Amino acid sequence: MSDLLKIFENKQALAVQYAADLQQWVKERNQLTIALSGGSTPKVLFQHLATHYINKIDWSKVHFFWGDERCVPPDDKESNYKMTYDLLLQYIPENQRNIYRIKGENLPQEEAIRYAAIIQSVVAEKNGCPQFDVMMLGMGDDGHTASIFPDQMELLSSNYICATAKHPVSGQIRVSLTGKVINNAKQITFLVTGSGKAQRMREIIKKEGAYKSYPAAHVKALDGHLRWYSDEAAVTLL
C-alpha cells in the first residue's frame, strides 16, 4: 500500500483534520481499536476532540490502547495515560469508556507480558498478529517511534507483541509495542510537527542519508495504509 503525506499549516490544522478522519473511521466500524501516542501534537488533537467531538463520536465503539508508556505511576506528569486522561478521556461519558492502559507502576517485564495478553484478548488478529485499526505514532528528533530507539533496532523485528525499552539518554525504562504489531495495523498514522523534525523527515521520505538508522523509517504498512500528518515546519527541507 502506498504512503500518503498530508501537510497542514500548523498543529491545530493537523488536529482538525485528524479528528475528522478519526470520526469517519469510527463510523465505518462496529468497533475501533486505536493505539495512542504521547507528545505535544497529540495534546492538541486530544484537546480538539474533547472540545468538538465528545457528542459527535460514538465513543463506546472506541477501544483505547497505547503504543508505549513510561514506567511511572498513572498520576505521574510523564505518564502518557495521564496526559490523555486529563485532556480527553475524562470528558467521555464513563459508560462509553473502553480504556486499556499500560500499567507503568508494574514491573516492566511483567507488564509487557500482561499488556500483550490484554491486547490479544481485545484486538482482532490477522497475519498471526494483533491488528489495530489505528496506530498513532510520533517521531522523535533522533528518528525513534513509540519507544523503539535507534540503539534498540531489534525491537522492530521482535516476535513479541510488547517489549521493554530504555531511553538512551535518561535510562528510563518503558514498555512499547514492537515493530511487528505497529506494521500490522490497518491505519498507521504519523503525527510529526516542528522544524526540529525537518531533517529526519527529508531523509525518511526521500530515503537518503542515514535514514536506515531511524526506527521510524522502518515503519511499513504490511496490510493497510501508512499516512504522515505533518505541519509545514516539519517538511521545509522536502
Side-chain angles (χ1 to χ4, degrees):
M1 301 292 183
S2 62
D3 299 354
L4 183 64
L5 176 61
K6 297 185 174 185
I7 302 172
F8 304 91
E9 182 180 0
N10 50 40
K11 286 182 185 180
Q12 188 60 40
L14 186 158
V16 169
Q17 183 60 57
Y18 196 98
D21 288 348
L22 178 61
Q23 181 187 38
Q24 184 60 37
W25 295 332
V26 174
K27 284 182 178 178
E28 295 170 353
R29 296 171 173 81
N30 293 323
Q31 172 181 296
L32 183 135
T33 54
I34 181 169
L36 304 173
S37 71
S40 61
T41 306
K43 284 183 179 181
V44 179
L45 170 64
F46 298 154
Q47 288 170 328
H48 184 77
L49 287 168
T51 303
H52 300 284
Y53 281 87
I54 290 301
N55 298 315
K56 293 182 180 179
I57 289 177
D58 182 354
W59 295 103
S60 67
K61 295 165 63 174
V62 183
H63 292 252
F64 292 101
F65 293 82
W66 278 262
D68 70 323
E69 181 61 276
R70 299 172 178 88
C71 290
V72 296
D75 58 353
D76 190 286
K77 64 180 181 180
E78 291 197 347
S79 166
N80 286 337
Y81 164 77
K82 174 177 170 54
M83 184 265 281
T84 312
Y85 183 85
D86 288 349
L87 297 179
L88 173 61
L89 298 178
Q90 68 169 317
Y91 301 108
I92 295 174
E94 194 167 355
N95 63 354
Q96 293 186 39
R97 295 179 197 165
N98 301 296
I99 301 170
Y100 309 88
R101 73 175 180 90
I102 298 172
K103 296 185 177 181
E105 68 273 26
N106 289 352
L107 291 173
Q109 293 282 2
E110 293 179 2
E111 181 56 18
I113 295 170
R114 186 200 72 86
Y115 202 59
I118 294 295
I119 290 171
Q120 288 179 302
S121 71
V122 178
V123 180
E125 184 175 292
K126 191 172 183 182
N127 307 315
C129 178
Q131 185 175 58
F132 282 92
D133 293 306
V134 180
M135 181 68 57
M136 182 190 297
L137 298 171
M139 181 179 69
D141 291 347
D142 60 356
H144 83 266
T145 191
S147 280
I148 303 177
F149 297 97
D151 65 339
Q152 295 154 68
M153 299 288 277
E154 67 275 7
L155 297 184
L156 290 166
S157 56
S158 171
N159 288 322
Y160 293 104
I161 294 170
C162 298
T164 59
K166 180 187 289 188
H167 191 282
V169 178
S170 69
Q172 184 185 60
I173 304 300
R174 302 180 178 188
V175 174
S176 178
L177 297 183
T178 61
K180 76 168 187 176
V181 180
I182 291 171
N183 287 342
N184 198 45
K186 293 179 183 177
Q187 297 281 358
I188 306 173
T189 55
F190 272 99
L191 281 65
V192 182
T193 59
S195 59
K197 312 293 176 63
Q199 181 62 34
R200 298 289 178 264
M201 281 290 285
R202 176 185 171 86
E203 292 177 288
I204 290 172
I205 298 298
K206 290 186 170 292
K207 294 181 170 57
E208 63 183 33
Y211 79 96
K212 289 185 178 179
S213 67
Y214 309 139
H218 295 268
V219 173
K220 308 291 182 184
L222 301 179
D223 192 45
H225 298 276
L226 171 60
R227 292 182 168 90
W228 292 81
Y229 291 71
S230 171
D231 69 354
E232 292 178 355
V235 294
T236 53
L237 300 181
L238 284 176

